[in-house]
Amino acid sequence: MYYIMQIDELVKEENYEQVITEANDALRNSEGDEKWRAAILFNRAYAYIKLNQQDLAIKDLKQSIQLDRNFPEAHYNLALIYYQQGNMEEAEELIEKAYQLDPNNDDFINMYEQITGEKVK
């Protein structure tokens, strides 16, 4: 829990290099709880995205989803990366899952409509 709070603060400060350092420490020291590990990986992926390191972000987001299949934000962020890369099949699958997990999230709805071409409401 300490690491998550520390990492969240660093994200707010836009100190992405330090987010990665703290996340690495947290992952080394957080054996067991998969939801915590998924959250740490998600935050590290966000830092990688901000540092324009999409390949590392993809790896972390995939791992985060493996640890917690019901993590809509991880599905959404991975869908965004794939969409930006032109990988529409993967993007569509992931945004559909994010939308299913949280159908009231406006960001998910907008991206779902943009990627699939289907109107939600």
Side-chain angles (χ1 to χ4, degrees):
M1 181 70 170
Y2 164 79
Y3 284 111
I4 295 292
M5 292 180 349
Q6 181 71 21
I7 290 168
D8 284 344
E9 190 61 36
L10 291 167
V11 168
K12 288 177 189 168
E13 295 170 3
E14 299 181 7
N15 189 347
Y16 302 119
E17 291 87 1
Q18 192 62 33
V19 168
I20 293 167
T21 300
E22 289 293 322
N24 290 340
D25 288 346
L27 290 168
R28 277 193 294 277
N29 296 314
S30 68
E31 295 299 320
D33 191 339
E34 292 184 348
K35 287 202 185 261
W36 287 116
R37 293 180 65 78
I40 293 165
L41 287 162
F42 174 80
N43 280 295
R44 188 172 72 177
Y46 182 77
Y48 284 139
I49 291 167
K50 290 298 194 177
L51 295 171
N52 210 21
Q53 297 177 7
Q54 269 67 18
D55 290 341
L56 293 172
I58 289 169
K59 181 180 174 194
D60 277 0
L61 289 167
K62 284 182 174 181
Q63 196 173 359
S64 181
I65 290 168
Q66 284 181 331
L67 293 170
D68 183 0
R69 297 220 179 268
N70 296 319
F71 195 163
E73 294 84 359
H75 287 88
Y76 174 79
N77 283 5
L78 191 51
L80 283 176
I81 293 171
Y82 283 139
Y83 180 71
Q84 291 168 349
Q85 293 179 342
N87 186 342
M88 298 308 289
E89 188 174 318
E90 292 287 335
E92 187 170 334
E93 181 181 320
L94 288 157
I95 198 60
E96 285 175 356
K97 183 66 174 175
Y99 172 68
Q100 288 171 358
L101 291 169
D102 188 358
N104 297 315
N105 184 307
D106 289 337
D107 291 332
F108 297 176
I109 292 169
N110 292 335
M111 187 54 59
Y112 177 87
E113 290 176 347
Q114 186 172 347
I115 291 174
T116 66
E118 299 173 14
K119 287 289 181 198
V120 171
K121 297 180 181 182

